[in-house]
Amino acid sequence: SPPAQLLDRLERLALVDFRDAEGVERLQEAIRFAEQLQEVNTDGVEPMDSVLEDRCLYLREDDVTEGNCAKELLKNAREKVEEYFVAPPGNIPLPKLDEQETVLRGS
Amino acid sequence: VSPEPGSPQVAAALKAGRVTPTELCQRCLALIRSTGFLNAYITVAEETALKQAEESEERYRRGQTLGVLDGIPVSVKDNFSTAGIETTCASSMLKGYISPYNATVVQKLLDQGAVLLGKTNLDEFAMGSGSTDGVFGPVRNPWSYSRQYKEKSVSKSHSEDEESNWVITGGSSGGSAAAVSSFTCFAALGSDTGGSTRNPAAHCGVVGLKPTYGLISRHGLIPLVNSMDVPGILTRCVDDAAVMLGSLAGHDPKDSTTVQDNFGPFELPDLTDVSKLSIGIPKEYNAPGLSSEILALWSKAADLFKNAGAKVIEVSLPHTRYSIVCYHVLCTAEVASNMARFDGLEYGHRSDMNESTESMYAATRREGFNDVVRGRILSGNYFLLKQNYENYFVKAQKVRRLIFNDFVKVFRGGVDILLTPTTLSDAVPYMEFIKEDNRTRSAQDDILTQAANMAGLPAINVPTALSERGLPIGLQFIGRSFQEKQLLTVAKWFEKQVKFPMIELEAVKRLDDGVFQHQKSAFS
């Protein structure tokens, strides 16, 4: 089973929690499943980013064609002030593993 | 004014004034209501649909229709942005979310006068192969209620069986497939990342087209895997799929991954001579778990081509069995990235948690996403860790190239089209399906469809025959990049040979006066 430290790190990176033992088990299954990739010989094979790799990505002219829709975009936000999206205070790290339960219990 | 049984197709009927757009719209809406137990729709846009139908009717009156889609009722999978109409992706994360813009494909449909009936149900964020894991509940396969299925099921009590024996639609575009299959619309949009359009098409007995990657704009399609997603087309016949493709394909300045090649809509020729065709049968698609019934049907189909004079040869795509593992890693990695945008700040669900930005984000995502989504995000982040990046993500990208090259080799060897099964079996009952978890199911069910997404190739499911249980079985054709015309031409020929039976649904019969039951193509 992946070490607790790794699980904690994943939860911070993903900002999503495993919730319970089943979640961790699911990750272990996923890792086990992915191991099959090691069976394939990929010596000298270049990674493929896109099936359209032999084409040039389309670049359009750097002209403004749309915008000025702040009101529309703000409609979907729950917390806003004038034309700002409002976030809770930043620069506060997520609580450590053992403190987390208390913090997230509210949600 | 109602068309008589056996009357020609809907578009012609509209043109000739035999049925008006508003009548058509109202009938579809009534059918949606009476088939509500299928749970195919998340949102029915009744008011706007009727308004669109009225405007279409006005255009018909003035003889100024916008094209062949004018007045035609369509439905759209709920992961496409629709301005003014809720877009939820069947997730709590987007409940109540109203997009300020239309996806390009939606805009194109509307610009041509199509009538948008509503948004169809799916697996949450299109993750799944059953359309069972959305927050609005599972979609039921209309064939569960067909005469053909009912007469094949050994029943004790009639009502008891209907409640527990209903079968899944497949997924993740199950709502769209069910909507088309039950005649509530004439065409529907789905999406296809690992088979999400072709799989439910096979289980629901409809045509499901996955176009070449880069042909149809993804702008407004809420992304799952940017390098594999495509909008999918679901219709009742191949000709209709060609018409829809013609209306949707082409470069979009808002999606830089659409190719700039000129694309022109085409009419499908009526192929009579298949002697110049070379059909490839990839032996690896005789995958573990493939039902003997489907294997036999596949073989029969190959013989059909052979007896008609086509060259039918066995080919090999040696890396087929790694396509699912490859997909598993690449998909979860891209999902980890794509789902990062859901943080509660600008749109969607926002948690009441207010301690800090990060804890708000974490709580929002905890509350908004289901287990499947969260599981994939966590797996994806694992594979993207610095210590794992080379061994998993980059490795998978290399395997992707090998899969891609398998196809290149076969097509370069002279094969025009590949013929394969679409699914391993006919649709299973819901109660059986949920016994395994989502990832296991997806891994099993996507095995025959996934490689086409890996290689970006066009592929289509054509309903072929009914199984012993009275449920649809479809076969898949895979074509060369951007050769949709050839792919659809062959598919149409095959469709004509197999004469797949029409679903016999009580709800449709009651409403029928010829408009639905005897329609094959909507457009020609």
Side-chain angles (χ1 to χ4, degrees):
Chain A
S1 163
Q5 209 184 32
L6 177 66
L7 296 179
D8 185 42
R9 190 150 138 243
L10 281 179
E11 287 192 335
R12 280 162 197 281
L13 285 172
L15 284 179
V16 142
D17 67 322
F18 287 96
R19 192 161 296 192
D20 52 28
E22 200 187 318
V24 179
E25 171 63 40
R26 211 177 284 130
L27 174 69
Q28 280 173 242
E29 257 311 302
I31 300 171
R32 221 171 299 166
F33 189 63
E35 287 306 326
Q36 293 172 65
L37 279 180
Q38 305 309 320
E39 291 167 22
V40 189
N41 183 346
T42 52
D43 292 341
V45 180
E46 283 299 302
M48 177 176 241
D49 290 319
S50 165
V51 296
L52 300 176
E53 62 184 5
D54 54 358
R55 291 171 185 260
C56 243
L57 196 66
Y58 170 73
L59 293 176
R60 65 180 186 140
E61 289 304 312
D62 190 14
D63 296 327
V64 175
T65 54
E66 55 185 2
N68 266 330
C69 52
K71 205 162 111 200
E72 281 296 307
L73 297 178
L74 286 166
K75 265 198 199 136
N76 280 308
R78 219 188 79 169
E79 311 278 342
K80 52 206 171 202
V81 167
E82 293 187 3
E83 289 194 340
Y84 292 91
F85 295 109
V86 180
N91 266 333
I92 299 175
L94 270 183
K96 292 230 178 349
L97 197 58
D98 44 15
E99 293 162 26
Q100 244 177 56
E101 277 317 302
T102 351
V103 176
L104 290 176
R105 192 164 294 153
S107 74
Chain B
V1 173
S2 42
E4 292 140 325
S7 66
Q9 324 310 333
V10 163
L14 283 172
K15 217 190 219 161
R18 274 192 295 272
V19 66
T20 66
T22 48
E23 277 170 354
L24 202 55
C25 181
Q26 270 154 359
R27 263 180 243 169
C28 286
L29 290 172
L31 197 53
I32 292 176
R33 279 192 292 271
S34 65
T35 56
F37 53 88
L38 295 176
N39 203 20
Y41 287 83
I42 294 177
T43 303
V44 181
E46 202 164 313
E47 256 178 59
T48 54
L50 284 169
K51 185 154 164 289
Q52 285 160 10
E54 276 160 19
E55 288 165 5
S56 171
E57 198 157 308
E58 183 53 39
R59 288 191 294 269
Y60 272 98
R61 258 198 291 265
R62 284 189 271 115
Q64 288 171 350
T65 54
L66 297 167
V68 73
L69 286 182
D70 208 322
I72 303 283
V74 298
S75 308
V76 167
K77 185 176 181 182
D78 207 14
N79 59 351
F80 285 92
S81 298
T82 44
I85 300 173
E86 198 175 346
T87 298
T88 67
C89 294
S91 175
S92 299
M93 189 59 90
L94 288 178
K95 259 195 196 158
Y97 169 68
I98 305 217
S99 169
Y101 72 103
N102 280 322
T104 296
V105 287
V106 172
Q107 192 61 55
K108 285 190 171 188
L109 290 176
L110 294 174
D111 286 345
Q112 291 169 68
V115 172
L116 179 56
L117 294 173
K119 309 297 290 297
T120 57
N121 204 351
L122 58 154
D123 282 301
E124 183 162 335
F125 279 110
M127 300 187 200
S129 61
S131 303
T132 52
D133 274 326
V135 85
F136 298 101
V139 185
R140 300 188 180 199
N141 191 327
W143 284 85
S144 313
Y145 303 93
S146 66
R147 184 194 59 78
Q148 290 107 325
Y149 177 64
K150 287 199 256 195
E151 73 187 7
K152 290 298 179 93
S153 20
V154 179
S155 55
K156 281 191 228 145
S157 138
H158 178 77
S159 56
E160 178 188 288
D161 274 339
E162 277 203 3
E163 261 322 290
S164 57
N165 264 359
W166 60 268
V167 299
I168 58 166
T169 52
S172 61
S173 312
S176 284
V180 172
S181 169
S182 58
F183 295 91
T184 60
C185 62
F186 287 86
L189 289 186
S191 66
D192 197 312
T193 307
S196 289
T197 289
R198 291 160 286 154
N199 175 293
H203 287 317
C204 294
V206 298
V207 170
L209 170 65
K210 173 212 168 297
T212 309
Y213 180 85
L215 184 61
I216 300 188
S217 172
R218 290 180 299 113
H219 176 74
L221 167 61
I222 294 172
L224 187 62
V225 183
N226 293 316
S227 69
M228 295 182 217
D229 289 351
V230 294
I233 294 168
L234 295 126
T235 56
R236 286 197 282 279
C237 69
V238 178
D239 269 329
D240 288 354
V243 171
M244 285 291 282
L245 182 69
S247 309
L248 297 176
H251 177 67
D252 179 16
K254 294 185 183 173
D255 177 359
S256 60
T257 61
T258 53
V259 299
Q260 293 173 75
D261 302 352
N262 273 324
F263 176 85
F266 48 78
E267 227 178 83
L268 290 180
D270 266 304
L271 190 64
T272 45
D273 174 24
V274 297
S275 61
K276 297 195 191 61
L277 265 184
S278 172
I279 308 284
I281 310 287
K283 62 181 188 200
E284 290 84 3
Y285 278 65
N286 185 353
L290 184 67
S291 83
S292 48
E293 209 176 15
I294 297 192
L295 182 61
L297 198 64
W298 182 24
S299 184
K300 214 162 142 207
D303 288 341
L304 196 72
F305 279 99
K306 210 180 298 176
N307 296 334
K311 181 164 160 225
V312 178
I313 54 173
E314 188 188 76
V315 295
S316 175
L317 298 168
H319 296 92
T320 300
R321 66 194 199 88
Y322 295 108
S323 143
I324 278 297
V325 192
C326 189
Y327 176 67
H328 165 69
V329 173
L330 294 180
C331 172
T332 51
E334 291 213 37
V335 159
S337 171
N338 280 322
M339 294 294 129
R341 72 193 67 194
F342 298 105
D343 57 21
L345 211 49
E346 292 151 343
Y347 44 75
H349 172 67
R350 175 171 174 150
S351 172
D352 289 331
M353 163 67 63
N354 236 6
E355 296 282 315
S356 67
T357 313
E358 284 206 18
S359 64
M360 187 278 277
Y361 289 170
T364 294
R365 293 156 69 80
R366 179 191 191 142
E367 294 160 16
F369 291 140
N370 74 1
D371 287 346
V372 177
V373 178
R374 284 175 25 254
R376 291 202 194 185
I377 293 172
L378 288 163
S379 301
N381 273 288
Y382 178 84
F383 297 132
L384 291 173
L385 288 174
K386 232 187 287 192
Q387 72 219 45
N388 296 329
Y389 195 79
E390 273 296 320
N391 292 331
Y392 292 95
F393 185 69
V394 176
K395 180 80 179 178
Q397 288 190 308
K398 292 179 179 178
V399 174
R400 180 174 189 176
R401 182 178 295 284
L402 292 176
I403 293 169
F404 179 84
N405 286 344
D406 279 355
F407 283 103
V408 169
K409 226 174 278 168
V410 162
F411 285 129
R412 219 170 259 165
V415 166
D416 298 308
I417 304 268
L418 296 166
L419 167 62
T420 81
T422 312
T423 55
L424 294 175
S425 72
D426 57 2
V428 302
Y430 174 72
M431 297 311 289
E432 199 184 300
F433 184 79
I434 53 175
K435 286 191 192 144
E436 295 271 15
D437 77 57
N438 184 293
R439 194 195 53 78
T440 313
R441 278 297 180 194
S442 300
Q444 293 163 349
D445 302 333
D446 288 346
I447 222 160
L448 301 169
T449 48
Q450 212 298 305
N453 298 88
M454 206 54 87
L457 299 171
I460 186 170
N461 172 77
V462 180
T464 305
L466 292 184
S467 69
E468 269 161 26
R469 290 163 65 219
L471 295 171
I473 298 177
L475 290 178
Q476 172 178 240
F477 294 92
I478 305 174
R480 301 167 186 239
S481 264
F482 301 105
Q483 300 305 311
E484 270 79 352
K485 184 165 180 189
Q486 180 180 57
L487 177 70
L488 290 169
T489 301
V490 174
K492 179 174 164 175
W493 179 88
F494 182 71
E495 175 188 62
K496 203 153 127 199
Q497 310 306 311
V498 299
K499 298 197 205 8
F500 183 77
M502 201 161 294
I503 187 176
E504 291 174 42
L505 265 185
E506 198 52 53
V508 177
K509 282 212 186 96
R510 264 185 252 124
L511 218 63
D512 176 42
D513 55 7
V515 184
F516 300 109
Q517 282 286 56
H518 301 274
Q519 290 307 323
K520 217 9 184 150
S521 162
F523 303 118
S524 57

